[in-house]
Amino acid sequence: MRLHAIVQDLDSARAAVKDGATVVQLRLKGASTGELVDAGRGFGDLDATFVVNDDVEAALRLGADGVHLGRDDDGAERAVESGLLLGLSAASVWEARAGEARGAAYVGAGPVWATPSKPDADPAIGLDGLAEICAAVSVPVVAIGGVGATNALDCVRAGAAGVAVIRATREARAVRAAIDAAL
């Protein structure tokens, strides 16, 4: 869970794993299950945990290790019953605890800082909010939202087991080095 790279294609996933990503998450907002399955071919061969964003059916068809569901996504129970690693998003202690109770193996907490990848997201929780979430649950917490090489260390110091990056995937090596230094 140290470095969770959120990508849209196999080439980006390969590059992120080469640079230290331990998890690759296929995220194609608005894609159909079939489109996700087509795009996800080959991800399972990477030397990283493979997670599909928002679509339990696609994760199952691809033989993925897990699925990450947002707060409004269905399928948590099916994911757990099917043996998928379940990640759930949370922007508060209450949501993180509820996610853990639903069977989440990890919580994606954020946005820690404002981020252009989620312009309609909740207000940033900051490092204090991240620390509160980390202290409130027993499952690993992955910090997301505005995280990069310059602040990944701060997220780990706040209690996160790792960080998730979208835009910062291109600097995965530097992000991973910051995380490793913190741990």
Side-chain angles (χ1 to χ4, degrees), residues 25-111:
Q25 180 174 326
L26 175 60
R27 179 179 187 241
L28 294 174
K29 286 296 190 181
S32 69
T33 297
E35 291 167 331
L36 276 169
V37 170
D38 287 344
R41 289 194 178 96
F43 274 70
D45 296 332
L46 298 172
D47 188 21
T49 301
F50 172 36
V51 174
V52 174
N53 196 73
D54 294 343
D55 193 320
V56 175
E57 182 62 29
L60 292 170
R61 287 189 198 175
L62 285 164
D65 300 301
V67 64
H68 186 93
L69 301 175
R71 296 188 313 256
D72 297 327
D73 295 325
D74 295 323
E77 295 75 20
R78 182 174 180 212
V80 172
E81 289 169 5
S82 299
L84 290 172
L85 175 80
L86 175 63
L88 293 173
S89 297
S92 69
V93 167
W94 181 87
E95 288 177 342
R97 286 183 177 152
E100 184 176 36
R102 292 175 62 201
Y106 73 92
V107 170

